[in-house]
Amino acid sequence: MLSSTVENYLKELFLLNPDGETQVATGELAKALSVTPGSATSMIKTLAQAGLVEHRPHYGVKLTNEGRTLAVHVVRRHRIVELFLVNILGMDWSEVHDEAEQLEHVVSDQVISKMDDLLGHPTHDPHGDPIPTPEGTLPVRSLQPLSFCKLGDTVSIARIGNQNTSFLKFAEDNGLLLGATIKVANKNEVADSITIISKGEEVVLGLAAAGRIEVEFA
């Protein structure tokens, strides 16, 4: 059984590089995990010796096929737990990430399978992140950042990439929930802002924040 630390490293490598086509810089990985570059380098060497990652000094690191399989398994557990906490236990979507971070390491595959059955075999978690199938494949959708939208576009919110508690509460307060239909009322490149119509009200977002909201055309 893998340790929670190993699982966290594998999961973060997958999240930083879902396609597995490029190398992840050691510094980037260390920042994502809130550890020192030295600690990250030490763990990367351990993972490489176990055949879970490929490491090229001064270039970066990426998952091997075996490492990716294990990483996707952890991601699946995390996202199913998040959805279970929201849909079954009634927790707020802004509260479940940290809880799932703990539970993903201790919940058995049998319990995850029962959760999956109870939830109706969902394809996405409460924030719109795709849930891998038991075989390790991920649902594919054609999404784009809200910041890429043009004036007059009408789109549906499909994923919230920023899962910071305050951002999720802001999104909820302004009706920026999964499936909500919004319209781009103004876009100001100079001011780095975009104005949308949500629930009949204007909401102004910085383009950086809008870039963390992914949409599909309604």
Side-chain angles (χ1 to χ4, degrees):
M1 182 176 180
L2 299 179
S3 71
S4 60
T5 301
V6 168
E7 290 188 338
N8 284 336
Y9 269 81
L10 296 177
K11 180 181 70 172
E12 201 60 47
L13 280 169
F14 173 79
L15 295 177
L16 290 171
N17 183 24
D19 296 330
E21 296 177 355
T22 59
Q23 303 276 339
V24 175
T26 301
E28 182 181 7
L29 178 61
K31 181 178 180 181
L33 290 167
S34 299
V35 300
T36 65
S39 294
T41 298
S42 178
M43 177 56 74
I44 287 169
K45 290 179 179 178
T46 298
L47 296 176
Q49 290 170 356
L52 301 178
V53 303
E54 296 176 3
H55 179 222
R56 295 177 62 197
H58 310 299
Y59 285 91
V61 59
K62 68 176 183 178
L63 295 167
T64 61
N65 289 337
E66 182 181 356
R68 179 181 173 84
T69 296
L70 294 171
V72 171
H73 186 67
V74 179
V75 170
R76 172 176 165 80
R77 292 204 307 255
H78 179 98
R79 293 175 178 173
I80 286 178
V81 168
E82 282 196 337
L83 194 62
F84 182 86
L85 293 175
V86 171
N87 287 14
I88 305 301
L89 299 189
M91 293 183 65
D92 191 90
W93 71 333
S94 66
E95 302 173 336
V96 296
H97 178 74
D98 288 344
E99 294 290 342
E101 284 285 302
Q102 302 298 318
L103 292 171
E104 70 188 31
H105 303 297
V106 296
V107 176
S108 70
D109 290 343
Q110 182 180 9
V111 171
I112 289 295
S113 180
K114 294 294 185 182
M115 287 181 176
D116 188 36
D117 290 342
L118 185 61
L119 291 165
H121 308 291
T123 58
H124 297 85
D125 76 4
H127 312 105
D129 288 321
I131 297 174
T133 67
E135 295 73 34
T137 60
L138 280 84
V140 177
R141 289 185 295 176
S142 180
L143 307 181
Q144 70 175 25
L146 175 58
S147 56
F148 285 12
C149 291
K150 299 180 177 61
L151 179 65
D153 282 351
T154 298
V155 294
S156 176
I157 295 176
R159 178 176 177 268
I160 306 293
N162 185 342
Q163 295 179 16
N164 177 276
T165 299
S166 59
F167 188 86
L168 289 173
K169 288 187 177 298
F170 167 83
E172 186 170 6
D173 290 344
N174 289 280
L176 305 180
L177 302 174
L178 298 189
T181 299
I182 57 176
K183 182 175 182 178
V184 178
N186 189 32
K187 189 174 183 180
N188 191 323
E189 302 283 358
V190 176
D192 287 330
S193 68
I194 187 170
T195 303
I196 60 173
I197 304 297
S198 172
K199 298 194 302 185
E201 301 287 338
E202 287 192 350
V203 179
V204 180
L205 293 166
L207 291 180
R212 302 304 303 275
I213 298 174
E214 294 185 12
V215 300
E216 53 191 350
F217 280 91

